[in-house]
Amino acid sequence: NAGVMQNPRHLVRRRGQEARLRCSPMKGHSHVYWYRQLPEEGLKFMVYLQKENIIDESGMPKERFSAEFPKEGPSILRIQQVVRGDSAAYFCASSPRPARGYGYTFGSGTRLTVV
Amino acid sequence: GESVGLHLPTLSVQEGDNSIINCAYSNSASDYFIWYKQESGKGPQFIIDIRSNMDKRQGQRVTVLLNKTVKHLSLQIAATQPGDSAVYFCAEKISSYKLIFGSGTRLLVRP
């Protein structure tokens, strides 16, 4: 059973381009969580999605960022018109149900560099 | 601290010694806590967890202590090994699904 798969592992974008980060949850998991990690800092919650629904996007910047988790396929975190401050590691985690009472498993992340 | 981009605090220990990593949490209502280990270039890896109705929990070579009075967690690693070198984060669960991460401590193990 593969873990949470994220791709690409590394992504370089020029300022103004779009970045699309993909997350395939563990088999049977229908709940996905995205976190962002700036260098030398802890992870910060961005968004929680179930299949086809955004449950909590309180950690997402109001502009340029969006997330989806379609019925089929991976969850996508999309950043439009990237700026240097978007450079960070973006981690995805998944769970089979709302992760009450336990932690969840993270993927290896996508490291976005904006040049 | 690290939340404004300063360097992580670093704990340097001799191989074979015990390590103690400390963490302060913010929300007195949090009822579940986790320690994660993050190696360079990887995602956080679960180490051990503890619920707020406990003050101590032991795993293999690791022990977590919880002091709710002062909102403090510690992770103790016995007989530290080179493979323990990593950044360690505590996390508190503030809702059924949301984790708040601490700022991390880098553990360096000297051979």
Side-chain angles (χ1 to χ4, degrees):
Chain A
N1 182 17
V4 177
M5 304 300 292
Q6 291 187 249
N7 67 84
R9 290 295 306 275
H10 300 275
L11 182 61
V12 179
R13 284 287 177 267
R14 295 186 186 280
R15 281 177 292 170
Q17 291 184 319
E18 178 180 288
R20 290 171 68 87
L21 288 62
R22 286 177 290 278
C23 169
S24 296
M26 292 179 69
K27 188 176 180 181
H29 287 193
S30 58
H31 298 257
V32 164
Y33 317 84
W34 284 93
Y35 282 74
R36 176 164 66 174
Q37 184 177 33
L38 296 174
E40 303 279 290
E41 294 189 13
L43 280 70
K44 299 277 196 307
F45 172 83
M46 297 183 75
V47 61
Y48 164 36
L49 309 106
Q50 293 180 31
K51 283 283 187 181
E52 300 183 275
N53 288 302
I54 297 174
I55 307 303
D56 181 349
E57 56 182 348
S58 59
M60 290 269 277
K62 295 287 184 280
E63 297 178 349
R64 302 187 298 108
F65 284 71
S66 62
E68 64 176 5
F69 188 17
K71 187 176 179 181
E72 301 290 338
S75 175
I76 305 288
L77 180 67
R78 182 181 177 207
I79 311 172
Q80 295 178 288
Q81 299 173 333
V82 296
V83 301
R84 288 233 170 96
D86 297 331
S87 295
Y90 293 83
F91 291 96
C92 168
S94 72
S95 64
R97 65 190 75 81
R100 291 186 176 86
Y102 61 93
Y104 32 64
T105 302
F106 286 91
S108 295
T110 293
R111 277 140 192 90
L112 173 66
T113 302
V114 179
V115 296
Chain B
E2 295 69 33
S3 62
V4 293
L6 299 178
H7 294 297
L8 291 170
T10 297
L11 175 65
S12 179
V13 301
Q14 193 74 36
E15 181 179 355
D17 287 351
N18 296 334
S19 303
I20 300 176
I21 300 171
N22 296 304
C23 174
Y25 63 91
S26 56
N27 191 335
S28 56
S30 296
D31 61 0
Y32 180 69
F33 304 88
I34 310 164
W35 279 99
Y36 284 96
K37 172 186 180 183
Q38 188 176 26
E39 296 174 284
S40 181
K42 296 185 178 180
Q45 175 188 358
F46 174 93
I47 302 173
I48 191 167
D49 57 1
I50 189 167
R51 300 188 188 283
S52 59
N53 61 354
M54 305 170 69
D55 53 22
K56 180 179 179 179
R57 188 160 189 231
Q58 288 185 287
Q60 189 174 20
R61 280 202 310 120
V62 294
T63 300
V64 55
L65 299 177
L66 174 62
N67 185 332
K68 294 182 286 294
T69 303
V70 295
K71 293 191 285 187
H72 182 268
L73 276 166
S74 68
L75 177 70
Q76 300 177 2
I77 304 174
T80 313
Q81 302 170 358
D84 295 327
S85 292
V87 177
Y88 290 81
F89 294 97
C90 67
E92 59 182 302
K93 205 159 210 188
I94 62 168
S95 74
S96 62
Y97 54 82
K98 189 183 296 185
L99 294 175
I100 298 286
F101 280 76
S103 48
T105 297
R106 179 172 284 118
L107 177 64
L108 294 177
V109 181
R110 304 188 304 272

